[in-house]
Amino acid sequence: MVPIEYYIILSVILFSIGVAGVVFRRNPLVIFMSIELMLNAANLAFVAFSSVLKSFEGQIFVFFVIAVAAAEVAVGLALIVEIFKSKRTIDVDQLNSMKE
Amino acid sequence: MHLIETMNTGFFFLAPWLVLAPVIGLLVNAVFGRQLSEKWIGAVASLASGTAFVVSVLLAYSVAVNHGHAVSVPFAEWIHIGDLKLDWTFRVDSLSTTMMLVVSGVGTLIHIYAIGYMHEDVRFKHQEGRFARFFIFLNLFIAAMMILVSGDSYLMLFVGWEGVGLCSFLLIGFWFEMDTLARPSWANSDAAKKAFITNRVGDFGFLIAGFLMFWYLGRSFQFDDVFAAAPAIAETQRWVIIAITLFMLLGVAGKSAQIPLYVWLPDAMAGPTPVSALIHAATMVTAGVYLVARSAPIYTLVPEAQYIVAMVGAMTALFAATIAVGQYDIKKVLAYSTISQLGFMVAAVGMGAFVAGMFHLVTHAFFKALLFLSAGSVILGLERGHHAHAHHAHHEERHKVRGKRKEEREHEEHKEVFDPGDMRNMGGLRKTMPVTFWLYMIGTLALAGIFPFAGFWSKDEILLDANLHYTSVYWQLTIAAFFTAFYMGRQIWMVFFGEARSDAAKSAQESPKVMTVPLMVLAGLSVVGGALNLPFEGFHHLGHWLGYTLGEVEGLPLNLQVAGISTVLALLAIFISWLIYGRNPLKDHQSDPLKRPLGFVFTGMENKWFVDEGYGVLIITPFKKLSQFLAEVIDWRFWHDFVHDTVIAGTYNWLSEVVLNRYADQKGIDTFFNSWGSFTQWLSGNVRKIQNGFVRSYALSVLLGVVLILGYLILK
């Protein structure tokens, strides 16, 4: 039996990588992947606690998170395609017309 | 008093239908009245009232088989506050069923009569659309009257009391945009308002009596609770009972048209004749008598208050009877006669002769309804004659289409308006309207108290009691009875005998069956109604019946002296009226033959002793002056001009001039707010730099924020 701390540490690492990816990368596809990484870090923590506490609630949450994440990706990718069609770029630093 | 809550025997559970049946009737007519024909509207309304009558009969039967025990039938919860419980409960006992039978029985006959009457009335006034409205109001009245007589507490009685007041107002003002001769005017609506406002004065008394009752007599409005608490209070705080009874008398004076509040009833004749018969003769105006009879356990505690009630009744009886002698309008005579007869009843219940008062209430309902409805038949007969005559005169013009009618009416206005209710326009009607004549004769003989008609027995019983109790009341009532016979004789001679004094009276036409048949029923009741309570051993049926509720009273035996005096006086009065009006019938445009010998006395009677004018000088003019003073001086000049304009607005003007001068305003206030504005601009200029549009910098701020919050939570 792997101790719970290991899962937590792995989850933290994954989450930090995800945060770093969102903050430092300029490609929206990579940002998306980083978001997925964070979500899955949370999922990992959920299932880990679920198994330790002998409760299904965490696992049920994970299902919801996966479903919502899938929907989010679908919407997000569609947005990226549309943005590329109109701007001819997907570099997020070029997409600052929302300022002010 | 016994109260049985279980209702295993009898039809007591039907009690709510007393109110529900007329309400259903009025709803049907209110919703479908425009689609239904007049026959159906009348049938629905009469059926609704008839249902209430059947229920009343069943309830009376149930009381009888129940050995006269009072039964309470709970119907609906109304107000529950803490321990206080005010519910709508029906009280079925011998007193309330007597009233129910009179109200619904006479009411149903009048409904049927009204089908015929209103059919013509709406056509003479060119307002066919109002036919349904009339029956809606009539059914509403029956419902309200049933609430009044069937409630088991003073509060429910008051609800009905106000309800019938409303119906009275609505029906007096039924032709609200014209006067009694159908000329455009607000006379009828003024009459309605007069009735309503006069009754407000009376209702004020009723309310005060109710409040006193609630406060001192057991914190309840229930009859039984109040009656149970009253004797103890009468021992310790006698003034409370006296105040309650006298304030209640004020209410009675309003509703039952007694001195000093009777003035509304003669004006109430502006309503259509079935209304005068139903509301202002047979039922609603007797509510005051019922109230005193119902409150018998309270009144009998204070003989001094009873004496006042009896005196008020007796004075009203005599006073109104004298006015009736000098009236020319056929309905006004009957109106003053009603006031006078109500005086008899109030005097009776005041003397503690509750059975005699209720007995007279019942027989009076029969013969006064009969007289009013016959008078309606006379008026319509004259109207028909007038139209037939006019028709003959303007044969061509009259056959125009309906659209032309307005012009026609305007045309008519220029002519002298014919008054079909004025007895001076009548005469000789016994030939043209024989059925109405005989019906009217029966009603007259019953009212005049001629043996063996109903009025003889009931009036005699009142006189008998008065003779035992208060001599002054007895003599006032006896003289009033003399006048009663006289003015009714005068009316008969003027209306039905002699020669016709107008073209309309010459060509008057008899009324249809739908009107005369209900009258025949009422005439039959006026003849045999006395059998309810004959002054012989074993025949005091009504006395025995009401004794269940009011306590057993000993039926008085016939006193030949009292009966003899009243009969001789009545016959004498009729003979005198024949000498004056019958032997030498009134000619056209001849003034009343009594006018010369009586002089100013007759002028007084003719003008109702100038009571309305007196009230005008004593109350209404000062009241108007006071309201004008309050409006102009207090409200406008003091409150508006001085307080608002001078004090409040002036103070603000002064303040603003002080505060908003150049230095305070521009230097002080402007500077402050301008610098506040500049500061906000400067701040927002800096803050906007954060919003740079780079999504990654937003993400970084979120991250920093999370780190800060988490750091705070962990290090706390």
Side-chain angles (χ1 to χ4, degrees), chain B residues 125 169 172-182 185-193 267 270-271:
Chain B
K125 296 187 165 86
F169 168 78
I172 294 169
F174 188 73
W175 301 114
F176 58 87
E177 78 285 41
M178 50 183 86
D179 64 6
T180 41
L181 304 181
S185 127
W186 296 115
N188 284 357
S189 57
D190 283 346
K193 278 184 278 182
D267 290 39

Side-chain angles (χ1 to χ4, degrees), chain B residues 498-701:
Chain B
E499 291 305 315
R501 286 183 294 274
S502 69
D503 297 328
K506 256 181 219 135
S507 39
Q509 290 160 17
E510 186 55 82
S511 296
K513 282 250 159 46
V514 67
M515 287 168 70
T516 50
V517 170
L519 291 184
M520 289 169 196
V521 178
L522 283 170
L525 290 169
S526 303
V527 175
V528 301
L532 281 175
N533 204 31
L534 294 175
F536 305 112
E537 194 58 43
F539 286 93
H540 299 281
H541 303 301
L542 189 69
H544 185 60
W545 170 249
L546 292 174
Y548 290 135
T549 308
L550 299 170
E552 202 62 52
V553 281
E554 197 189 340
L556 294 169
L558 184 68
N559 181 332
L560 280 179
Q561 191 195 337
V562 172
I565 290 177
S566 68
T567 310
V568 167
L569 280 178
L571 291 172
L572 183 68
I574 294 176
F575 177 68
I576 296 174
S577 70
W578 177 77
L579 282 179
I580 300 172
Y581 297 97
R583 199 173 45 169
N584 301 310
L586 214 61
K587 306 279 178 310
D588 204 3
H589 296 301
Q590 183 197 345
S591 65
D592 198 288
L594 273 181
K595 209 177 178 86
R596 193 178 304 206
L598 288 182
F600 71 92
V601 177
F602 191 79
T603 314
M605 297 198 278
E606 208 174 5
N607 292 295
K608 315 154 194 172
W609 298 117
F610 300 99
V611 171
D612 277 327
E613 286 77 1
Y615 279 177
V617 173
L618 283 178
I619 297 168
I620 295 170
T621 316
F623 185 78
K624 277 187 180 163
K625 285 260 163 63
L626 179 66
S627 23
Q628 200 173 11
F629 171 77
L630 289 176
E632 281 184 4
V633 178
I634 302 291
D635 186 60
W636 196 246
R637 276 191 230 150
F638 172 74
W639 194 245
H640 181 268
D641 286 357
F642 179 70
V643 176
H644 279 180
D645 279 5
T646 313
V647 178
I648 299 180
T651 311
Y652 271 91
N653 279 339
W654 174 79
L655 256 181
S656 43
E657 263 174 41
V658 169
V659 172
L660 300 181
N661 59 35
R662 201 149 172 272
Y663 296 98
D665 184 36
Q666 296 185 357
K667 294 272 158 56
I669 297 173
D670 281 10
T671 314
F672 173 74
F673 283 101
N674 284 341
S675 7
W676 187 247
S678 320
F679 170 71
T680 315
Q681 272 182 335
W682 169 84
L683 193 66
S684 56
N686 286 331
V687 173
R688 74 197 284 185
K689 286 178 190 157
I690 298 172
Q691 192 188 359
N692 55 12
F694 295 112
V695 72
R696 294 190 303 143
S697 71
Y698 294 165
L700 190 62
S701 353

Side-chain angles (χ1 to χ4, degrees), chain A residues 8 13 23 28 55:
Chain A
I8 304 299
I13 292 168
V23 175
S55 153

